[in-house]
Amino acid sequence: MEVAVRICVVAVDTRGGVQPYAALALGLVRAGHEVRLVAPEDFTDWLTGMGLDARPLSGRMDEAARAAAEAGYSGGVVPRGMRARLVEQSLVQARELLGHAEGSDVLLGGVGGSVLGRKVAERLGVPFVHAHVHPVGMVSSELPGVLTPWMPAWTGKAGNLVGSAITEAALTLPFGAVSRAVRTRVLGLPRRRPRARVDAPSLYGFSRHLVSAPARWDVTGHWFLPEDPGWAPPDGLQRFLAGGGPAVCVGFGSMVGADPAATARLVTAAVRQVGVRAVLLTGWGGLRDIAGGDDVLVVDQVPHSWLFPRVATVVHHGGAGTTAAAARAGVPAVVVPHGVDQPFWGGRVAALGVGPSPLPRSTLSVGSLAAALRTTLEDEGMRARAAVLGERISGEDGVTRAVEVLDRGVAGATRHR
């Protein structure tokens, strides 16, 4: 690197969606760049605790997740009642982001960060780097659409083309009202983005061992946070895991659902039917209200990098970050997708033979979850494939690779801007 570049990373997502960008930001700081990470206000303390220059955007993602669950929203068309609130909050956040990003040479973000970040970059006259943790960003016949896992495999490249077109539309059209309001009422930009403007090349923070992608894409490997040297597991958790017999981990992250207590009861009944012990991760408290017992331990948040390799199976919602962490751990996974991109990741887990077919949350039952758990515990071929995948992903350094790509591309572009 010849010159330090001032980079504003925009991450508007749940904790699992912000975490990869925190890892990337730390890598850019280590490389000598000046980095500011902008994320929802409930993550500011967590991010500054890592040593990052973190700035808040108004609004808490835990509250947004609960509101979406109560409204039955899992992606696609935004309900009318949510739309007005989304526009008003976006106007506030756009003003905040414009202030936080002032003086930056480049803005960077994924699906969530690009909604506002791309427009603020245009207002500041600087490049925007699309840095995705999903295979999105263009219409292509070379891979399936992330939001169309139901597209039959026999449709081949034609199905891929249609699926990726649907995905790209679904990622942009619901935010049309937000885009128009932010551009005209906050940033003073034309109603539509000039066609001649081209963003910097896209960056992809996932592993080719988990998802195939066109050779021309800059796929770096996953962006994992480094281990926190100051963190130590609770004594109760260590004793529980050492208690004898297999233990599984169950956690659905921010997917609290409309009735989290019912989910907790279902999960508890399933693990007891199989006869295994379970660590339940509550996320934002969704699995807290359960019956106690020596075979179930309820904890809040534990680093996935520490916990997942110490259990026999991980049951999760299929978020991109959690899927990557479970794959790196080298253990099978049972994916219970709640919506949006999660069925896609569940499909990838099944296609690679490192987990059974995904179990949609809408049809999840004690029996189906118990059967899936038995498969992961008894299928030696599945367990062997999961171990091999874990070794391959562990051998990648996605953050270092991403920094190298950015140094070559973005740093050069900003020096000659």
Side-chain angles (χ1 to χ4, degrees):
M1 184 192 67
E2 299 176 17
V3 177
V5 178
R6 294 166 295 184
I7 302 173
C8 180
V9 178
V10 189
V12 182
D13 209 325
T14 61
R15 177 168 173 144
V18 170
Q19 190 160 305
Y21 297 96
L24 182 56
L26 287 171
L28 290 165
V29 170
R30 289 194 298 269
H33 294 295
E34 299 176 22
V35 182
R36 175 169 291 173
L37 178 55
V38 181
E41 60 185 339
D42 39 340
F43 304 129
T44 305
D45 291 344
W46 170 56
L47 295 168
T48 55
M50 300 179 196
L52 289 167
D53 176 6
R55 303 299 172 93
L57 293 177
S58 297
R60 296 181 57 86
M61 289 304 297
D62 54 353
E63 295 173 356
R66 290 191 182 98
E70 291 169 359
Y73 177 69
S74 61
V77 178
V78 179
R80 184 179 300 274
M82 290 179 59
R83 200 176 308 157
R85 294 196 302 272
L86 180 62
V87 169
E88 289 307 312
Q89 183 178 47
S90 296
L91 293 173
V92 173
Q93 291 181 338
R95 294 185 184 96
E96 293 170 339
L97 178 57
L98 182 62
H100 296 326
E102 188 69 40
S104 298
D105 297 310
V106 61
L107 273 72
L108 177 153
V111 173
S114 67
V115 173
L116 298 178
R118 197 177 182 196
K119 300 166 189 59
V120 169
E122 182 183 348
R123 173 66 177 80
L124 296 175
V126 301
F128 182 85
V129 175
H130 292 271
H132 295 300
V133 294
H134 310 80
V136 298
M138 64 178 69
V139 176
S140 171
S141 63
E142 297 182 60
L143 72 168
V146 170
L147 300 184
T148 57
W150 40 263
M151 186 71 68
W154 58 262
T155 59
K157 289 190 174 183
N160 289 348
L161 191 65
V162 172
S164 64
I166 292 173
T167 295
E168 295 310 309
L171 293 175
T172 55
L173 293 180
F175 300 99
V178 169
S179 177
R180 291 187 294 272
V182 167
R183 292 182 66 84
T184 59
R185 294 166 59 181
V186 176
L187 302 178
L189 295 170
R191 185 179 176 86
R192 295 185 181 274
R193 189 171 187 259
R195 288 183 178 272
R197 185 176 179 85
V198 178
D199 289 324
S202 297
L203 192 65
Y204 292 92
F206 56 81
S207 173
R208 290 187 184 274
H209 296 301
L210 192 58
V211 182
S212 61
R216 65 183 181 278
W217 285 19
D218 284 317
V219 179
T220 65
H222 299 285
W223 302 329
F224 292 117
L225 279 173
E227 301 297 331
D228 179 0
W231 184 85
D235 291 340
L237 176 58
Q238 294 202 83
R239 286 194 300 271
F240 183 84
L241 292 173
V248 302
C249 173
V250 183
F252 299 137
S254 59
M255 302 293 107
V256 295
D259 190 351
T263 299
R265 289 191 293 270
L266 185 157
V267 167
T268 303
V271 297
R272 286 174 175 163
Q273 186 178 112
V274 177
V276 293
R277 296 172 305 120
V279 177
L280 268 59
L281 300 178
T282 66
W284 283 323
L287 301 180
R288 173 64 67 182
D289 185 18
I290 66 168
D294 294 337
D295 57 346
V296 175
L297 179 69
V298 182
V299 297
D300 289 325
Q301 293 177 343
V302 177
H304 292 169
S305 59
W306 185 90
L307 179 60
F308 287 1
R310 290 170 168 82
V311 297
T313 300
V314 179
V315 181
H316 63 86
H317 59 295
T322 309
T323 301
R328 181 175 64 162
V331 297
V334 177
V335 178
V336 182
H338 290 57
V340 200
D341 61 314
Q342 296 159 16
F344 171 83
W345 293 111
R348 291 307 306 150
V349 168
L352 292 170
V354 297
S357 297
L359 305 175
R361 178 62 189 92
S362 59
T363 58
L364 186 68
S365 68
V366 172
S368 64
L369 180 55
L373 283 171
R374 288 192 185 96
T375 298
T376 65
L377 295 168
E378 298 171 1
D379 188 331
E380 294 302 325
M382 178 178 290
R383 300 194 66 80
R385 288 188 294 272
V388 170
L389 178 62
E391 291 175 358
R392 290 174 175 170
I393 291 180
S394 296
E396 298 176 327
D397 187 347
V399 169
T400 296
R401 173 62 180 157
V403 171
E404 291 172 353
V405 172
L406 286 167
D407 276 343
R408 285 201 314 269
V410 175
T414 55
R415 283 194 294 269
H416 295 95
R417 185 164 48 87

